[in-house]
Amino acid sequence: MRHAFPGGTPALDFSGTLRFRHRVEPQEDLDSPESLGCWFRECGITERDIPCGAADLREAVTLREAIHRLVAARMSGEVYDRDALALVNEHARQPTPVPQLTETGRHVEATAGQALACVARDAVGVLGDPDVPLKECAAPDCSQIFVDRSRGARREWCAMDPCGNRIKAAAYRARQRVSGQGERRRVR
C-alpha cells in the first residue's frame, strides 16, 4: 500500500495525507492526481483507482485542509471556521459513489467528486458525533489524528508501526542507558 490509514475513518485518514504537519516541511502524500485516485482505492471507497486530474487534486487538497481545520477546532474546543464548514457541507451534499452488484461481486462506480463527497460525509459523521473520541498521535513528529476506540480510551499512537514502536524503542534505550550508568557507578 502506498498510503497509511491509521485514523480509523476515511475523513481522518484523508486529513492525514499531509503528514508531519508539525515539521517545517510536512510530507505530502497526495503529490499527484494518480496518488489521489490510488488513495480512494486503498481507502476502500472504490475497487480501482479513479482517474483524477489536476483540478481534482486541487479540490481534494482544499477539502482535506478544511476537514483538518474542523478537526483541530473540535479537538481544541474552538468554534468551527465558517468557510471550512461550508466547504465540507457543500461536498457532503453531492452524490456519493454508487455500488453495483455484478456477476463477479460488488463494483463501485465513482468520480473524484463522488469519492470526495464520501469523505466529506464521513467528516460530518465523525465531527457531528460528540461521543467520537479524537486524539492526536503522541509521537513527537507525527500529527495524525485518530479515533481512540481502545478500552478506556488509553491509546496513545495513531498506529503501533511505526509510531508506537519508535516511542517504545526509545523508552527502552533510555532505560538501558540509565541502568547501564548505574551499574558502572557501582563497579568503580
Side-chain angles (χ1 to χ4, degrees):
M1 283 182 104
R2 178 178 176 181
H3 299 283
F5 298 92
T9 74
L12 295 178
D13 289 327
F14 195 63
S15 174
T17 59
L18 183 62
R19 299 174 57 210
F20 313 117
R21 286 179 183 263
H22 305 304
R23 292 183 182 172
V24 174
E25 293 185 29
Q27 178 182 327
E28 177 63 75
D29 285 350
L30 297 179
D31 56 2
S32 68
E34 294 77 24
S35 67
L36 176 62
C38 176
W39 188 90
F40 292 135
R41 175 184 49 81
E42 289 182 352
C43 179
I45 292 174
T46 61
E47 286 89 24
R48 292 186 215 128
D49 290 8
I50 296 175
C52 296
D56 297 321
L57 181 59
R58 283 190 300 275
E59 184 178 353
V61 169
T62 302
L63 177 62
R64 175 191 69 195
E65 293 308 304
I67 290 170
H68 184 73
R69 283 195 307 275
L70 296 176
V71 169
R74 154 105 185 264
M75 291 181 67
S76 64
E78 295 176 10
V79 175
Y80 286 145
D81 176 272
R82 288 182 181 265
D83 293 335
L85 195 59
L87 184 67
V88 169
N89 285 331
E90 177 185 324
H91 278 279
R93 281 191 288 275
Q94 302 306 310
T96 56
V98 180
Q100 300 287 305
L101 183 61
T102 67
E103 292 179 8
T104 58
R106 179 180 175 263
H107 176 71
V108 178
E109 293 287 330
T111 64
Q114 290 172 318
L116 290 174
C118 186
V119 172
R121 286 186 187 184
D122 186 63
V124 169
V126 169
L127 296 171
D129 184 349
D131 295 329
V132 174
L134 301 180
K135 287 187 176 177
E136 185 173 5
C137 183
D141 63 342
C142 184
S143 59
Q144 177 68 48
I145 308 296
F146 63 93
V147 176
D148 184 0
R149 293 187 178 102
S150 67
R151 184 180 212 169
R154 296 183 349 202
R155 185 171 153 196
E156 296 180 51
W157 308 290
C158 62
M160 197 59 182
D161 184 23
C163 291
N165 289 341
R166 274 190 294 198
I167 298 296
K168 285 187 169 198
Y172 174 78
R173 287 189 301 274
R175 285 191 307 273
Q176 293 301 328
R177 280 193 300 272
V178 168
S179 67
Q181 288 175 351
E183 290 175 22
R184 280 189 222 128
R185 287 184 192 146
R186 283 185 232 145
V187 172
R188 291 182 186 180

mmCIF file of all heavy atoms in Angstrom, residues 137-185:
data_model
loop_
_atom_site.group_PDB
_atom_site.id
_atom_site.type_symbol
_atom_site.label_atom_id
_atom_site.label_comp_id
_atom_site.label_asym_id
_atom_site.label_seq_id
_atom_site.Cartn_x
_atom_site.Cartn_y
_atom_site.Cartn_z
ATOM 1 N N CYS A 137 -1.749 11.692 17.666
ATOM 2 C CA CYS A 137 -0.697 10.732 17.970
ATOM 3 C C CYS A 137 0.311 11.362 18.932
ATOM 4 O O CYS A 137 0.698 12.520 18.778
ATOM 5 C CB CYS A 137 -0.006 10.295 16.687
ATOM 6 S SG CYS A 137 1.257 9.028 16.935
ATOM 7 N N ALA A 138 0.741 10.590 19.915
ATOM 8 C CA ALA A 138 1.687 11.080 20.929
ATOM 9 C C ALA A 138 3.134 11.088 20.445
ATOM 10 O O ALA A 138 3.994 11.623 21.135
ATOM 11 C CB ALA A 138 1.571 10.225 22.189
ATOM 12 N N ALA A 139 3.391 10.506 19.289
ATOM 13 C CA ALA A 139 4.753 10.554 18.748
ATOM 14 C C ALA A 139 5.080 12.013 18.419
ATOM 15 O O ALA A 139 4.276 12.696 17.783
ATOM 16 C CB ALA A 139 4.871 9.688 17.505
ATOM 17 N N PRO A 140 6.236 12.511 18.868
ATOM 18 C CA PRO A 140 6.542 13.936 18.741
ATOM 19 C C PRO A 140 6.479 14.509 17.328
ATOM 20 O O PRO A 140 6.078 15.646 17.152
ATOM 21 C CB PRO A 140 7.967 14.055 19.295
ATOM 22 C CG PRO A 140 8.209 12.824 20.054
ATOM 23 C CD PRO A 140 7.299 11.767 19.516
ATOM 24 N N ASP A 141 6.848 13.733 16.320
ATOM 25 C CA ASP A 141 6.849 14.296 14.971
ATOM 26 C C ASP A 141 5.635 13.881 14.142
ATOM 27 O O ASP A 141 5.510 14.277 12.996
ATOM 28 C CB ASP A 141 8.140 13.932 14.234
ATOM 29 C CG ASP A 141 8.290 12.437 14.038
ATOM 30 O OD1 ASP A 141 7.612 11.671 14.730
ATOM 31 O OD2 ASP A 141 9.110 12.043 13.191
ATOM 32 N N CYS A 142 4.723 13.124 14.715
ATOM 33 C CA CYS A 142 3.531 12.681 13.989
ATOM 34 C C CYS A 142 2.378 13.635 14.301
ATOM 35 O O CYS A 142 2.233 14.097 15.429
ATOM 36 C CB CYS A 142 3.150 11.262 14.390
ATOM 37 S SG CYS A 142 1.756 10.603 13.441
ATOM 38 N N SER A 143 1.579 13.917 13.309
ATOM 39 C CA SER A 143 0.442 14.817 13.517
ATOM 40 C C SER A 143 -0.883 14.144 13.172
ATOM 41 O O SER A 143 -1.897 14.810 13.018
ATOM 42 C CB SER A 143 0.625 16.074 12.673
ATOM 43 O OG SER A 143 0.717 15.738 11.302
ATOM 44 N N GLN A 144 -0.884 12.813 13.070
ATOM 45 C CA GLN A 144 -2.092 12.085 12.692
ATOM 46 C C GLN A 144 -3.125 12.147 13.804
ATOM 47 O O GLN A 144 -2.824 11.912 14.967
ATOM 48 C CB GLN A 144 -1.759 10.614 12.389
ATOM 49 C CG GLN A 144 -2.953 9.758 12.050
ATOM 50 C CD GLN A 144 -3.596 10.124 10.727
ATOM 51 O OE1 GLN A 144 -2.899 10.268 9.733
ATOM 52 N NE2 GLN A 144 -4.896 10.269 10.704
ATOM 53 N N ILE A 145 -4.352 12.467 13.439
ATOM 54 C CA ILE A 145 -5.482 12.433 14.356
ATOM 55 C C ILE A 145 -6.171 11.089 14.147
ATOM 56 O O ILE A 145 -6.310 10.624 13.017
ATOM 57 C CB ILE A 145 -6.477 13.585 14.066
ATOM 58 C CG1 ILE A 145 -5.771 14.932 14.025
ATOM 59 C CG2 ILE A 145 -7.631 13.559 15.064
ATOM 60 C CD1 ILE A 145 -5.149 15.383 15.306
ATOM 61 N N PHE A 146 -6.605 10.473 15.238
ATOM 62 C CA PHE A 146 -7.261 9.169 15.121
ATOM 63 C C PHE A 146 -8.426 9.063 16.092
ATOM 64 O O PHE A 146 -8.529 9.824 17.055
ATOM 65 C CB PHE A 146 -6.256 8.033 15.352
ATOM 66 C CG PHE A 146 -5.641 8.015 16.726
ATOM 67 C CD1 PHE A 146 -6.199 7.265 17.750
ATOM 68 C CD2 PHE A 146 -4.492 8.744 16.997
ATOM 69 C CE1 PHE A 146 -5.627 7.253 19.018
ATOM 70 C CE2 PHE A 146 -3.907 8.735 18.256
ATOM 71 C CZ PHE A 146 -4.486 7.994 19.269
ATOM 72 N N VAL A 147 -9.314 8.108 15.805
ATOM 73 C CA VAL A 147 -10.416 7.796 16.710
ATOM 74 C C VAL A 147 -9.894 6.762 17.693
ATOM 75 O O VAL A 147 -9.406 5.712 17.290
ATOM 76 C CB VAL A 147 -11.630 7.234 15.940
ATOM 77 C CG1 VAL A 147 -12.728 6.813 16.910
ATOM 78 C CG2 VAL A 147 -12.162 8.248 14.940
ATOM 79 N N ASP A 148 -9.981 7.073 18.971
ATOM 80 C CA ASP A 148 -9.498 6.157 20.003
ATOM 81 C C ASP A 148 -10.646 5.264 20.454
ATOM 82 O O ASP A 148 -11.466 5.638 21.285
ATOM 83 C CB ASP A 148 -8.934 6.938 21.192
ATOM 84 C CG ASP A 148 -8.327 6.014 22.240
ATOM 85 O OD1 ASP A 148 -8.346 4.775 22.043
ATOM 86 O OD2 ASP A 148 -7.832 6.535 23.249
ATOM 87 N N ARG A 149 -10.681 4.068 19.888
ATOM 88 C CA ARG A 149 -11.711 3.088 20.243
ATOM 89 C C ARG A 149 -11.183 2.045 21.217
ATOM 90 O O ARG A 149 -11.817 1.023 21.450
ATOM 91 C CB ARG A 149 -12.211 2.400 18.981
ATOM 92 C CG ARG A 149 -12.973 3.327 18.058
ATOM 93 C CD ARG A 149 -13.602 2.548 16.900
ATOM 94 N NE ARG A 149 -14.354 3.433 16.048
ATOM 95 C CZ ARG A 149 -13.937 3.896 14.884
ATOM 96 N NH1 ARG A 149 -12.753 3.547 14.422
ATOM 97 N NH2 ARG A 149 -14.688 4.699 14.162
ATOM 98 N N SER A 150 -10.028 2.310 21.797
ATOM 99 C CA SER A 150 -9.428 1.346 22.714
ATOM 100 C C SER A 150 -10.197 1.317 24.034
ATOM 101 O O SER A 150 -10.888 2.273 24.390
ATOM 102 C CB SER A 150 -7.957 1.702 22.984
ATOM 103 O OG SER A 150 -7.877 2.917 23.715
ATOM 104 N N ARG A 151 -10.047 0.235 24.735
ATOM 105 C CA ARG A 151 -10.691 0.097 26.035
ATOM 106 C C ARG A 151 -10.154 1.180 26.968
ATOM 107 O O ARG A 151 -8.949 1.331 27.136
ATOM 108 C CB ARG A 151 -10.374 -1.283 26.604
ATOM 109 C CG ARG A 151 -11.063 -1.565 27.869
ATOM 110 C CD ARG A 151 -10.693 -2.939 28.339
ATOM 111 N NE ARG A 151 -11.817 -3.478 29.051
ATOM 112 C CZ ARG A 151 -11.923 -4.711 29.408
ATOM 113 N NH1 ARG A 151 -10.984 -5.578 29.100
ATOM 114 N NH2 ARG A 151 -12.964 -5.131 30.075
ATOM 115 N N GLY A 152 -11.035 1.939 27.538
ATOM 116 C CA GLY A 152 -10.633 3.009 28.438
ATOM 117 C C GLY A 152 -10.070 4.224 27.735
ATOM 118 O O GLY A 152 -9.568 5.131 28.377
ATOM 119 N N ALA A 153 -10.122 4.242 26.405
ATOM 120 C CA ALA A 153 -9.601 5.358 25.594
ATOM 121 C C ALA A 153 -8.177 5.704 26.011
ATOM 122 O O ALA A 153 -7.840 6.852 26.243
ATOM 123 C CB ALA A 153 -10.526 6.570 25.692
ATOM 124 N N ARG A 154 -7.318 4.654 26.082
ATOM 125 C CA ARG A 154 -5.940 4.871 26.530
ATOM 126 C C ARG A 154 -4.921 4.751 25.403
ATOM 127 O O ARG A 154 -3.722 4.767 25.661
ATOM 128 C CB ARG A 154 -5.612 3.878 27.640
ATOM 129 C CG ARG A 154 -6.470 4.127 28.854
ATOM 130 C CD ARG A 154 -6.187 3.257 30.034
ATOM 131 N NE ARG A 154 -5.308 2.135 29.807
ATOM 132 C CZ ARG A 154 -5.277 1.069 30.581
ATOM 133 N NH1 ARG A 154 -6.079 0.981 31.599
ATOM 134 N NH2 ARG A 154 -4.440 0.099 30.331
ATOM 135 N N ARG A 155 -5.378 4.659 24.181
ATOM 136 C CA ARG A 155 -4.458 4.554 23.046
ATOM 137 C C ARG A 155 -3.670 5.856 22.916
ATOM 138 O O ARG A 155 -4.215 6.946 23.060
ATOM 139 C CB ARG A 155 -5.279 4.294 21.782
ATOM 140 C CG ARG A 155 -4.465 4.048 20.551
ATOM 141 C CD ARG A 155 -5.388 3.595 19.428
ATOM 142 N NE ARG A 155 -4.826 3.946 18.144
ATOM 143 C CZ ARG A 155 -5.503 3.966 17.015
ATOM 144 N NH1 ARG A 155 -6.781 3.685 17.013
ATOM 145 N NH2 ARG A 155 -4.914 4.277 15.884
ATOM 146 N N GLU A 156 -2.376 5.732 22.647
ATOM 147 C CA GLU A 156 -1.515 6.910 22.557
ATOM 148 C C GLU A 156 -1.055 7.216 21.139
ATOM 149 O O GLU A 156 -0.775 8.366 20.817
ATOM 150 C CB GLU A 156 -0.270 6.715 23.429
ATOM 151 C CG GLU A 156 -0.586 6.602 24.901
ATOM 152 C CD GLU A 156 0.671 6.401 25.719
ATOM 153 O OE1 GLU A 156 1.611 7.197 25.541
ATOM 154 O OE2 GLU A 156 0.707 5.445 26.512
ATOM 155 N N TRP A 157 -0.932 6.199 20.297
ATOM 156 C CA TRP A 157 -0.337 6.385 18.978
ATOM 157 C C TRP A 157 -1.356 6.106 17.892
ATOM 158 O O TRP A 157 -2.258 5.291 18.057
ATOM 159 C CB TRP A 157 0.854 5.451 18.801
ATOM 160 C CG TRP A 157 1.825 5.576 19.925
ATOM 161 C CD1 TRP A 157 2.651 6.647 20.179
ATOM 162 C CD2 TRP A 157 2.063 4.647 20.978
ATOM 163 N NE1 TRP A 157 3.379 6.422 21.306
ATOM 164 C CE2 TRP A 157 3.041 5.190 21.828
ATOM 165 C CE3 TRP A 157 1.546 3.402 21.285
ATOM 166 C CZ2 TRP A 157 3.508 4.552 22.952
ATOM 167 C CZ3 TRP A 157 2.013 2.753 22.411
ATOM 168 C CH2 TRP A 157 2.986 3.330 23.231
ATOM 169 N N CYS A 158 -1.140 6.745 16.753
ATOM 170 C CA CYS A 158 -2.036 6.513 15.621
ATOM 171 C C CYS A 158 -1.951 5.054 15.181
ATOM 172 O O CYS A 158 -2.944 4.450 14.810
ATOM 173 C CB CYS A 158 -1.713 7.460 14.474
ATOM 174 S SG CYS A 158 -0.061 7.281 13.768
ATOM 175 N N ALA A 159 -0.746 4.503 15.242
ATOM 176 C CA ALA A 159 -0.524 3.107 14.879
ATOM 177 C C ALA A 159 0.733 2.622 15.599
ATOM 178 O O ALA A 159 1.640 3.407 15.869
ATOM 179 C CB ALA A 159 -0.342 2.965 13.368
ATOM 180 N N MET A 160 0.762 1.347 15.892
ATOM 181 C CA MET A 160 1.937 0.795 16.561
ATOM 182 C C MET A 160 3.159 0.863 15.648
ATOM 183 O O MET A 160 4.260 1.141 16.105
ATOM 184 C CB MET A 160 1.648 -0.648 16.985
ATOM 185 C CG MET A 160 2.582 -1.160 18.006
ATOM 186 S SD MET A 160 2.506 -0.111 19.463
ATOM 187 C CE MET A 160 3.716 -0.897 20.451
ATOM 188 N N ASP A 161 2.930 0.623 14.348
ATOM 189 C CA ASP A 161 4.022 0.688 13.390
ATOM 190 C C ASP A 161 3.785 1.883 12.480
ATOM 191 O O ASP A 161 2.768 1.910 11.777
ATOM 192 C CB ASP A 161 4.073 -0.601 12.564
ATOM 193 C CG ASP A 161 5.235 -0.643 11.609
ATOM 194 O OD1 ASP A 161 6.233 0.055 11.846
ATOM 195 O OD2 ASP A 161 5.138 -1.383 10.613
ATOM 196 N N PRO A 162 4.592 2.884 12.503
ATOM 197 C CA PRO A 162 5.883 2.981 13.147
ATOM 198 C C PRO A 162 5.870 3.740 14.485
ATOM 199 O O PRO A 162 6.789 3.606 15.275
ATOM 200 C CB PRO A 162 6.723 3.765 12.135
ATOM 201 C CG PRO A 162 5.747 4.720 11.538
ATOM 202 C CD PRO A 162 4.433 3.956 11.497
ATOM 203 N N CYS A 163 4.841 4.552 14.736
ATOM 204 C CA CYS A 163 4.895 5.493 15.867
ATOM 205 C C CYS A 163 5.066 4.819 17.221
ATOM 206 O O CYS A 163 5.956 5.179 17.992
ATOM 207 C CB CYS A 163 3.660 6.382 15.863
ATOM 208 S SG CYS A 163 3.656 7.529 14.462
ATOM 209 N N GLY A 164 4.228 3.862 17.554
ATOM 210 C CA GLY A 164 4.325 3.198 18.857
ATOM 211 C C GLY A 164 5.639 2.476 19.031
ATOM 212 O O GLY A 164 6.266 2.539 20.099
ATOM 213 N N ASN A 165 6.075 1.794 17.978
ATOM 214 C CA ASN A 165 7.348 1.072 18.051
ATOM 215 C C ASN A 165 8.522 2.018 18.311
ATOM 216 O O ASN A 165 9.410 1.712 19.107
ATOM 217 C CB ASN A 165 7.602 0.293 16.758
ATOM 218 C CG ASN A 165 6.672 -0.894 16.615
ATOM 219 O OD1 ASN A 165 6.084 -1.353 17.579
ATOM 220 N ND2 ASN A 165 6.515 -1.369 15.399
ATOM 221 N N ARG A 166 8.535 3.163 17.633
ATOM 222 C CA ARG A 166 9.629 4.130 17.836
ATOM 223 C C ARG A 166 9.653 4.654 19.265
ATOM 224 O O ARG A 166 10.708 4.749 19.884
ATOM 225 C CB ARG A 166 9.502 5.302 16.866
ATOM 226 C CG ARG A 166 10.143 5.035 15.534
ATOM 227 C CD ARG A 166 10.197 6.299 14.747
ATOM 228 N NE ARG A 166 8.811 6.665 14.453
ATOM 229 C CZ ARG A 166 8.434 7.498 13.519
ATOM 230 N NH1 ARG A 166 9.332 8.115 12.808
ATOM 231 N NH2 ARG A 166 7.192 7.755 13.283
ATOM 232 N N ILE A 167 8.496 4.996 19.799
ATOM 233 C CA ILE A 167 8.425 5.542 21.162
ATOM 234 C C ILE A 167 8.836 4.475 22.173
ATOM 235 O O ILE A 167 9.615 4.738 23.092
ATOM 236 C CB ILE A 167 7.009 6.060 21.474
ATOM 237 C CG1 ILE A 167 6.632 7.190 20.533
ATOM 238 C CG2 ILE A 167 6.891 6.483 22.927
ATOM 239 C CD1 ILE A 167 7.477 8.431 20.665
ATOM 240 N N LYS A 168 8.333 3.271 21.994
ATOM 241 C CA LYS A 168 8.683 2.193 22.932
ATOM 242 C C LYS A 168 10.167 1.845 22.851
ATOM 243 O O LYS A 168 10.808 1.618 23.867
ATOM 244 C CB LYS A 168 7.818 0.962 22.665
ATOM 245 C CG LYS A 168 6.397 1.125 23.164
ATOM 246 C CD LYS A 168 5.634 -0.163 23.029
ATOM 247 C CE LYS A 168 4.331 -0.049 23.780
ATOM 248 N NZ LYS A 168 3.735 -1.336 24.053
ATOM 249 N N ALA A 169 10.719 1.820 21.651
ATOM 250 C CA ALA A 169 12.149 1.514 21.498
ATOM 251 C C ALA A 169 13.003 2.612 22.134
ATOM 252 O O ALA A 169 14.001 2.321 22.803
ATOM 253 C CB ALA A 169 12.501 1.360 20.021
ATOM 254 N N ALA A 170 12.603 3.873 21.960
ATOM 255 C CA ALA A 170 13.349 4.978 22.568
ATOM 256 C C ALA A 170 13.279 4.895 24.091
ATOM 257 O O ALA A 170 14.288 5.123 24.778
ATOM 258 C CB ALA A 170 12.805 6.310 22.081
ATOM 259 N N ALA A 171 12.124 4.553 24.626
ATOM 260 C CA ALA A 171 11.994 4.426 26.084
ATOM 261 C C ALA A 171 12.848 3.274 26.600
ATOM 262 O O ALA A 171 13.490 3.386 27.657
ATOM 263 C CB ALA A 171 10.527 4.217 26.467
ATOM 264 N N TYR A 172 12.876 2.175 25.859
ATOM 265 C CA TYR A 172 13.701 1.030 26.250
ATOM 266 C C TYR A 172 15.180 1.416 26.264
ATOM 267 O O TYR A 172 15.902 1.118 27.220
ATOM 268 C CB TYR A 172 13.460 -0.138 25.286
ATOM 269 C CG TYR A 172 14.374 -1.301 25.530
ATOM 270 C CD1 TYR A 172 14.136 -2.187 26.578
ATOM 271 C CD2 TYR A 172 15.486 -1.515 24.722
ATOM 272 C CE1 TYR A 172 14.980 -3.258 26.812
ATOM 273 C CE2 TYR A 172 16.336 -2.584 24.945
ATOM 274 C CZ TYR A 172 16.074 -3.451 25.989
ATOM 275 O OH TYR A 172 16.920 -4.506 26.222
ATOM 276 N N ARG A 173 15.629 2.093 25.198
ATOM 277 C CA ARG A 173 17.034 2.518 25.138
ATOM 278 C C ARG A 173 17.364 3.472 26.288
ATOM 279 O O ARG A 173 18.442 3.381 26.885
ATOM 280 C CB ARG A 173 17.341 3.165 23.782
ATOM 281 C CG ARG A 173 17.428 2.156 22.640
ATOM 282 C CD ARG A 173 17.957 2.798 21.366
ATOM 283 N NE ARG A 173 17.150 3.896 20.887
ATOM 284 C CZ ARG A 173 16.082 3.779 20.098
ATOM 285 N NH1 ARG A 173 15.705 2.578 19.697
ATOM 286 N NH2 ARG A 173 15.417 4.832 19.704
ATOM 287 N N ALA A 174 16.448 4.347 26.616
ATOM 288 C CA ALA A 174 16.680 5.288 27.724
ATOM 289 C C ALA A 174 16.802 4.530 29.051
ATOM 290 O O ALA A 174 17.681 4.835 29.863
ATOM 291 C CB ALA A 174 15.549 6.309 27.797
ATOM 292 N N ARG A 175 15.957 3.543 29.253
ATOM 293 C CA ARG A 175 16.051 2.737 30.481
ATOM 294 C C ARG A 175 17.363 1.978 30.535
ATOM 295 O O ARG A 175 17.978 1.858 31.587
ATOM 296 C CB ARG A 175 14.870 1.754 30.578
ATOM 297 C CG ARG A 175 13.564 2.390 30.962
ATOM 298 C CD ARG A 175 12.496 1.368 31.310
ATOM 299 N NE ARG A 175 12.284 0.346 30.306
ATOM 300 C CZ ARG A 175 11.465 0.442 29.267
ATOM 301 N NH1 ARG A 175 10.762 1.533 29.094
ATOM 302 N NH2 ARG A 175 11.342 -0.547 28.404
ATOM 303 N N GLN A 176 17.805 1.474 29.389
ATOM 304 C CA GLN A 176 19.070 0.742 29.337
ATOM 305 C C GLN A 176 20.247 1.663 29.661
ATOM 306 O O GLN A 176 21.169 1.262 30.365
ATOM 307 C CB GLN A 176 19.271 0.084 27.962
ATOM 308 C CG GLN A 176 18.292 -1.024 27.666
ATOM 309 C CD GLN A 176 18.364 -2.133 28.689
ATOM 310 O OE1 GLN A 176 19.403 -2.433 29.257
ATOM 311 N NE2 GLN A 176 17.223 -2.755 28.957
ATOM 312 N N ARG A 177 20.213 2.877 29.131
ATOM 313 C CA ARG A 177 21.287 3.837 29.429
ATOM 314 C C ARG A 177 21.324 4.153 30.915
ATOM 315 O O ARG A 177 22.391 4.194 31.518
ATOM 316 C CB ARG A 177 21.089 5.127 28.623
ATOM 317 C CG ARG A 177 21.565 5.033 27.194
ATOM 318 C CD ARG A 177 21.633 6.403 26.545
ATOM 319 N NE ARG A 177 20.355 7.097 26.514
ATOM 320 C CZ ARG A 177 19.435 6.977 25.543
ATOM 321 N NH1 ARG A 177 19.665 6.177 24.532
ATOM 322 N NH2 ARG A 177 18.329 7.656 25.587
ATOM 323 N N VAL A 178 20.166 4.373 31.507
ATOM 324 C CA VAL A 178 20.106 4.705 32.935
ATOM 325 C C VAL A 178 20.603 3.524 33.767
ATOM 326 O O VAL A 178 21.414 3.687 34.672
ATOM 327 C CB VAL A 178 18.672 5.107 33.347
ATOM 328 C CG1 VAL A 178 18.537 5.174 34.849
ATOM 329 C CG2 VAL A 178 18.316 6.444 32.719
ATOM 330 N N SER A 179 20.129 2.327 33.454
ATOM 331 C CA SER A 179 20.560 1.163 34.243
ATOM 332 C C SER A 179 22.034 0.844 33.984
ATOM 333 O O SER A 179 22.747 0.430 34.890
ATOM 334 C CB SER A 179 19.695 -0.059 33.944
ATOM 335 O OG SER A 179 19.892 -0.500 32.622
ATOM 336 N N GLY A 180 22.514 1.089 32.771
ATOM 337 C CA GLY A 180 23.934 0.868 32.470
ATOM 338 C C GLY A 180 24.814 1.845 33.210
ATOM 339 O O GLY A 180 25.877 1.485 33.715
ATOM 340 N N GLN A 181 24.404 3.061 33.331
ATOM 341 C CA GLN A 181 25.169 4.054 34.086
ATOM 342 C C GLN A 181 25.163 3.697 35.563
ATOM 343 O O GLN A 181 26.176 3.843 36.237
ATOM 344 C CB GLN A 181 24.574 5.454 33.887
ATOM 345 C CG GLN A 181 24.827 6.005 32.518
ATOM 346 C CD GLN A 181 24.119 7.336 32.311
ATOM 347 O OE1 GLN A 181 23.318 7.760 33.128
ATOM 348 N NE2 GLN A 181 24.426 7.989 31.193
ATOM 349 N N GLY A 182 24.075 3.190 36.075
ATOM 350 C CA GLY A 182 24.002 2.790 37.481
ATOM 351 C C GLY A 182 24.957 1.652 37.783
ATOM 352 O O GLY A 182 25.608 1.634 38.808
ATOM 353 N N GLU A 183 25.076 0.688 36.860
ATOM 354 C CA GLU A 183 25.984 -0.444 37.074
ATOM 355 C C GLU A 183 27.433 0.011 37.032
ATOM 356 O O GLU A 183 28.259 -0.461 37.810
ATOM 357 C CB GLU A 183 25.736 -1.523 36.010
ATOM 358 C CG GLU A 183 24.411 -2.233 36.199
ATOM 359 C CD GLU A 183 24.134 -3.203 35.076
ATOM 360 O OE1 GLU A 183 25.086 -3.631 34.404
ATOM 361 O OE2 GLU A 183 22.955 -3.523 34.873
ATOM 362 N N ARG A 184 27.758 0.945 36.106
ATOM 363 C CA ARG A 184 29.128 1.439 36.023
ATOM 364 C C ARG A 184 29.516 2.161 37.316
ATOM 365 O O ARG A 184 30.625 2.050 37.770
ATOM 366 C CB ARG A 184 29.278 2.386 34.834
ATOM 367 C CG ARG A 184 29.426 1.648 33.555
ATOM 368 C CD ARG A 184 29.797 2.612 32.438
ATOM 369 N NE ARG A 184 29.025 2.216 31.292
ATOM 370 C CZ ARG A 184 28.259 2.992 30.567
ATOM 371 N NH1 ARG A 184 28.149 4.260 30.850
ATOM 372 N NH2 ARG A 184 27.606 2.525 29.536
ATOM 373 N N ARG A 185 28.592 2.875 37.894
ATOM 374 C CA ARG A 185 28.900 3.585 39.144
ATOM 375 C C ARG A 185 29.213 2.598 40.270
ATOM 376 O O ARG A 185 30.080 2.824 41.080
ATOM 377 C CB ARG A 185 27.719 4.482 39.537
ATOM 378 C CG ARG A 185 27.591 5.701 38.669
ATOM 379 C CD ARG A 185 26.468 6.578 39.168
ATOM 380 N NE ARG A 185 26.188 7.577 38.150
ATOM 381 C CZ ARG A 185 24.993 8.067 37.892
ATOM 382 N NH1 ARG A 185 23.956 7.657 38.594
ATOM 383 N NH2 ARG A 185 24.831 8.960 36.963
#
